[in-house]
Amino acid sequence: MVDGCGNTSRWLSGAHDDDGNQACALLSNDGGDTWSSPFDIARPPDGVEAVRMPNFLRLLDWRLACFLRYRTSHLDMWTAMIICRDQSQLGAVDDGTALWTDPVRISPPAPGRHVLLNHVLRLRHGARAGRILLPIASPCSWDEEDRRGSDIRAWVLYSDDDGVTLQPSDTMLAGPERGMMEPYLMESPEGRANVDADADELSVRDDL
């Protein structure tokens, strides 16, 4: 959530990970006590099966950015960024997709499953204050055919210029069993990025 704007996804059909989705948002003007009805912010464009996991971030120039996961195929899941064109109209209509720019792919090109999950983070402390971090999970190697994946690794897309450019981290974190699934980022008071994941293991990295 950012500035009273919550995020969710809506199934287009079925309720399985392989089914279609579109991204929605909700608004709150009372600190989260009450919320508006969901309204659409992004639908799958031609050639895309699903849009999921919207993550909002306020940019330094006060524009509202949203990072999402797009699925073109099983071997092409990618992260994109969209920017709100008119924040004053958010929630005014059920179909708010026209208020956002076209998606710009910010993760590496196909093949690869680059799975954005949740909680985009901007560091607030330390030497890297202002850096944007997006937690990503991917099978190793990226073009692995196994649908479940036997070696899931966590990494980040990061930006030091407020989202103008993003690049992958130099490291990918491995974990026990199937690996580092569903990575979640937190910031320590010293400005270090803590990466938590379904591997039930907390790894601390200060080079993200």
Side-chain angles (χ1 to χ4, degrees):
M1 185 182 75
V2 60
D3 297 336
C5 192
N7 54 289
T8 186
S9 299
R10 176 181 292 166
W11 300 105
L12 296 175
S13 62
H16 188 273
D17 278 350
D18 288 339
D19 294 323
N21 298 90
Q22 62 189 27
C24 306
L26 305 90
L27 289 177
S28 175
N29 295 313
D30 54 15
D33 289 338
T34 61
W35 291 88
S36 71
S37 299
F39 53 91
D40 300 339
I41 60 170
R43 294 198 189 98
D46 291 343
V48 172
E49 299 173 350
V51 182
R52 301 182 67 186
M53 300 295 177
N55 289 262
F56 296 106
L57 181 72
R58 180 68 67 187
L59 301 178
L60 297 180
D61 61 7
W62 211 243
R63 290 180 301 162
L64 183 62
C66 185
F67 301 91
L68 311 101
R69 182 207 308 176
Y70 284 72
R71 186 182 75 231
T72 301
S73 68
H74 174 60
L75 288 181
D76 188 13
M77 297 184 191
W78 46 285
T79 299
M81 179 173 67
I82 59 177
I83 304 290
C84 186
R85 294 187 174 104
D86 187 354
Q87 297 174 49
S88 67
Q89 294 300 308
L90 284 174
V93 292
D94 291 339
D95 182 3
T97 56
L99 299 176
W100 297 82
T101 59
D102 292 336
V104 175
R105 182 172 188 147
I106 58 175
S107 60
R113 288 183 286 158
H114 310 309
V115 181
L116 173 70
L117 289 151
N118 47 44
H119 194 55
V120 172
L121 175 69
R122 184 194 293 277
L123 296 179
R124 300 176 59 189
H125 308 285
R128 298 183 181 90
R131 172 172 286 187
I132 298 171
L133 300 171
L134 283 71
I136 309 287
S138 294
C140 187
S141 64
W142 281 349
D143 58 355
E144 183 179 332
E145 294 285 350
D146 180 5
R147 289 185 66 82
R148 285 180 52 81
S150 57
D151 185 8
I152 306 299
R153 301 196 181 188
W155 53 287
V156 298
L157 287 167
Y158 70 93
S159 174
D160 289 320
D161 54 14
D162 204 35
V164 176
T165 60
L166 289 103
Q167 54 189 319
S169 57
D170 294 331
T171 54
M172 296 182 72
L173 305 183
E177 302 297 333
R178 290 184 58 212
M180 299 285 281
M181 297 173 289
E182 300 188 12
Y184 186 90
L185 296 179
M186 297 166 287
E187 182 183 9
S188 72
E190 298 80 22
R192 300 173 69 185
N194 296 344
V195 184
D196 198 3
D198 267 1
D200 295 326
E201 179 177 299
L202 183 66
S203 298
V204 179
R205 306 289 298 188
D206 61 359
D207 58 352
L208 297 180

